[in-house]
Amino acid sequence: MTIKYTPDHEWIRVDGDTATVGITHHAQDALGDVVFVELPEVGKTLPQKEVAGVVESVKAAADVYMPVSGEIVAVNEALRADPSLANRDPLGEGWFFKVRLSQPAELDALLDETAYRQLAQ
């Protein structure tokens, strides 16, 4: 499994032709306590960099962008019910949605962990 990052602080974990997307530790830390998430509609196809959802905290609201183009195949209903999962376990139980990749080559333009850590400092 490959994990990549966007400059907008989303992570994407690729497993075959499907990937799981969420926000990074840096993003949830900057936002503070997450109180609401808006998730994309299953079955919807979105292009790379399109707004796929929204995360709201006690401090701010931020868009969640598509790291790659594809079709939304699942959303995290547990996150919708308990938005604080994005704070407690952003890289695990706090995932946002799963996408079937339509342009896998777009992954090449995303950041690896080293590059993301330098950006997020």
Side-chain angles (χ1 to χ4, degrees):
M1 269 192 270
T2 304
I3 297 181
K4 296 278 200 152
Y5 301 87
T6 71
D8 297 311
H9 309 290
E10 289 91 16
W11 58 264
I12 179 168
R13 184 179 318 124
V14 182
D15 188 11
D17 70 344
T18 306
T20 304
V21 177
I23 62 171
T24 64
H25 279 287
H26 178 83
Q28 69 81 27
D29 192 47
L31 284 166
D33 293 336
V34 175
V35 295
F36 175 79
V37 294
E38 180 182 310
L39 301 172
E41 185 180 323
V42 173
K44 192 170 190 173
T45 299
L46 296 168
Q48 184 180 38
K49 299 183 180 172
E50 183 76 17
V51 174
V54 176
V55 57
E56 293 182 13
S57 72
V58 293
K59 289 198 262 184
D63 291 331
V64 177
Y65 297 96
M66 289 289 287
V68 293
S69 302
E71 178 189 354
I72 305 299
V73 294
V75 296
N76 188 351
E77 293 297 342
L79 181 65
R80 194 187 316 260
D82 182 6
S84 69
L85 284 172
N87 294 116
R88 289 196 313 273
D89 192 10
L91 299 176
E93 296 297 314
W95 62 275
F96 276 60
F97 56 89
K98 296 187 181 199
V99 58
R100 182 172 297 114
L101 308 176
S102 62
Q103 303 286 327
E106 291 173 342
L107 291 164
D108 297 340
L110 300 179
L111 305 170
D112 63 17
E113 186 170 355
T114 303
Y116 178 73
R117 284 184 190 271
Q118 290 173 342
L119 172 87
Q121 287 182 353

